[in-house]
Amino acid sequence: MIYLFMMLIILMLVIIVMFLFIMISYKKLEDYETFSSYECGFSMMSMTRMFFSFRFFLISILFLIFDIEIALMLPLPYLIMSGEVMVIFYFFMVLVLGLMYEYFYGSLNWLNFISKA
């Protein structure tokens, strides 16, 4: 009998909290613009087909890649002490080859891209 009473109290508390949540989060239709998200200076009600610089996207991806590679360099002192010099050489070789690839294909050349536009 006491378990039934406890379950009834818990159920009522859950219903009260749910009702309070619905009442607090209720938004009027005219307040929708006020409470809408506004991110990075772009209005949500503006044109959907905005031009986005592919160069900016590419540079941000390169930054993330090199940032992760910096984190991968953290065990380098341990590798040097253990004598794994070839692993360090291959790691830096991949880094330099990737950077040369980006340079030769013009991903890092911003001035020519601006002058052609």
Side-chain angles (χ1 to χ4, degrees), residues 45-111:
M45 302 299 174
S46 66
M47 188 174 84
T48 57
R49 302 270 182 185
M50 294 182 67
F51 297 109
F52 186 74
S53 174
F54 183 70
R55 290 260 186 217
F56 177 74
F57 175 73
L58 188 61
I59 292 297
S60 63
I61 294 296
L62 285 174
F63 171 76
L64 288 175
I65 289 171
F66 281 106
D67 194 37
I68 290 171
E69 288 171 353
I70 295 290
L72 291 175
M73 285 182 181
L74 289 175
L76 282 182
Y78 174 74
L79 291 174
I80 290 172
M81 292 181 73
S82 66
E84 298 290 334
V85 181
M86 290 306 290
V87 174
I88 298 170
F89 174 73
Y90 289 137
F91 180 74
F92 281 113
M93 188 176 71
V94 168
L95 273 178
V96 170
L97 286 174
L99 189 61
M100 287 173 38
Y101 177 82
E102 294 296 329
Y103 177 74
F104 286 124
Y105 280 96
S107 297
L108 304 175
N109 196 359
W110 281 74
L111 295 179

Side-chain angles (χ1 to χ4, degrees), residues 23-42:
M23 291 303 292
I24 290 172
S25 67
Y26 178 73
K27 297 178 188 171
K28 295 179 189 171
L29 210 49
E30 56 265 2
D31 290 339
Y32 181 72
E33 181 68 30
T34 312
F35 293 118
S36 67
S37 63
Y38 184 77
E39 296 180 10
C40 302
F42 296 109

